[in-house]
Amino acid sequence: MDSMNSLRIFLTLLILISIPLSAFDSGPTASFSYSPSGLGYLYAPGPDWNSGDTTKPESGSALSSASKLCLSGGYYYDYLQGDLSYSRTKISKQVSDFIANDGLKSAIDSSILLRGGYRFSNPGDTSYTWLYLGLKRYSYDSFGGTAVTAYGWLAGYSGFYSFGLSSNYEFVLALDLYLGTYRFDNFSSDNGYTGVSKRYSLTSGAGIGAGVQYEPYNVTLLIKLSADINRIAYDADYQGSSRKFSTGSLSGCIGFEVRYCIPSESYNEKIK
């Protein structure tokens, strides 16, 4: 009889201990960022006689030659996390590196990104580290009738780290880094090149943000600095002569970001 009571007590304690350990942290994620100030450069095919053209901001426009908008929404469940995002970068006030007095140039760089991966976090803590793989659709519209659509993959890291203060507010540091390549692409331009074939491609980016989180609702406001490069290099022919050129852009922008991420209510109740 005593052994049966001991077994019941042991099983009861085991169940009570396992309940908080088996609770799954889950919830939606969303973010919006806008960077009105930035520095941008462009890569594009040159005129018929030139292999390629690059541009830089006109004099006095170093910090007003790029702007960026990004929207994201996703969900996490225990150790898994995924999201879908859209970003649009406008690069303007550009002058050619090779052709003087050719007027100001501009381009639109946009992408749709689907990511998913493993999330490292502690129960009840909004801090996390996320390692992910992603698929990316890239679109580039630039001067000279240049248009590129490309599809590729990437791998990345995202970190969100909160540090408790004496109130409901916490200091937050957010880090992002990714690297990838484009596997399929479609190129068109008005410059008359033929036999266009891709040599290599690169997509990469990094970001760092610092701000404050209001923990009861897990709403975060960040000041964020981000940089991105998208570059696809090609070989082509023009009237029997070979041409080498690149398309894409390089930009660095600064602005603000708002993030929302709240654990499930049932999970919060279990860990109280």
Side-chain angles (χ1 to χ4, degrees):
M1 188 70 177
D2 290 339
S3 61
M4 290 297 293
N5 288 333
S6 299
L7 180 60
R8 290 192 187 97
I9 293 172
F10 173 76
L11 292 175
T12 301
L13 291 174
L14 184 62
I15 293 172
L16 291 175
I17 293 173
S18 65
I19 286 176
L21 296 178
S22 62
F24 288 114
D25 192 358
S26 62
T29 64
S31 67
F32 167 79
S33 65
Y34 177 62
S35 301
S37 179
L39 175 65
Y41 299 87
L42 298 176
Y43 310 101
D48 298 339
W49 50 266
N50 188 57
S51 292
D53 196 1
T54 57
T55 71
K56 60 187 177 184
E58 68 170 333
S59 178
S61 301
L63 295 180
S64 61
S65 57
S67 61
K68 183 178 180 181
L69 171 72
C70 186
L71 298 169
S72 176
Y75 197 85
Y76 70 95
Y77 183 81
D78 195 24
Y79 59 87
L80 297 177
Q81 181 167 336
D83 72 2
L84 180 67
S85 64
Y86 168 79
S87 65
R88 182 180 187 272
T89 303
K90 181 179 181 180
I91 299 178
S92 59
K93 302 178 182 180
Q94 301 286 300
V95 294
S96 170
D97 281 332
F98 298 112
I99 310 172
N101 303 317
D102 196 36
L104 295 181
K105 305 178 185 301
S106 63
I108 298 294
D109 181 320
S110 62
S111 64
I112 298 174
L113 179 60
L114 177 64
R115 304 182 295 178
Y118 195 96
R119 172 189 173 104
F120 300 87
S121 62
N122 295 317
D125 189 358
T126 56
S127 298
Y128 66 86
T129 296
W130 182 29
L131 302 179
Y132 61 82
L133 297 175
L135 300 175
K136 184 175 183 180
R137 180 190 186 276
Y138 173 65
S139 178
Y140 177 71
D141 293 289
S142 186
F143 59 92
T146 300
V148 177
T149 302
Y151 300 85
W153 59 269
L154 52 85
Y157 148 82
S158 180
F160 183 87
Y161 308 108
S162 59
F163 306 90
L165 301 176
S166 59
S167 64
N168 289 328
Y169 295 93
E170 294 185 325
F171 174 74
V172 169
L173 181 66
L175 304 172
D176 296 283
L177 179 66
Y178 72 89
L179 177 67
T181 185
Y182 295 110
R183 306 305 300 169
F184 308 98
D185 67 282
N186 182 35
F187 165 83
S188 64
S189 182
D190 294 339
N191 59 6
Y193 289 168
T194 60
V196 178
S197 61
K198 182 177 67 178
R199 286 188 290 133
Y200 67 85
S201 63
L202 170 69
T203 177
S204 182
I208 181 170
V212 176
Q213 175 182 237
Y214 184 57
E215 189 174 14
Y217 295 99
N218 292 348
V219 177
T220 304
L221 177 62
L222 301 167
I223 301 298
K224 187 171 183 179
L225 175 65
S226 62
D228 298 276
I229 181 171
N230 291 285
R231 185 169 185 175
I232 305 176
Y234 293 97
D235 285 323
D237 296 319
Y238 179 74
Q239 295 183 354
S241 299
S242 62
R243 297 286 187 266
K244 294 183 183 295
F245 65 94
S246 298
T247 61
S249 67
L250 169 65
S251 64
C253 298
I254 186 169
F256 70 90
E257 179 172 284
V258 178
R259 294 192 183 190
Y260 169 78
C261 177
I262 186 166
S264 63
E265 182 179 352
S266 60
Y267 175 81
N268 285 340
E269 290 174 352
K270 289 178 181 178
I271 63 174
K272 288 180 180 179

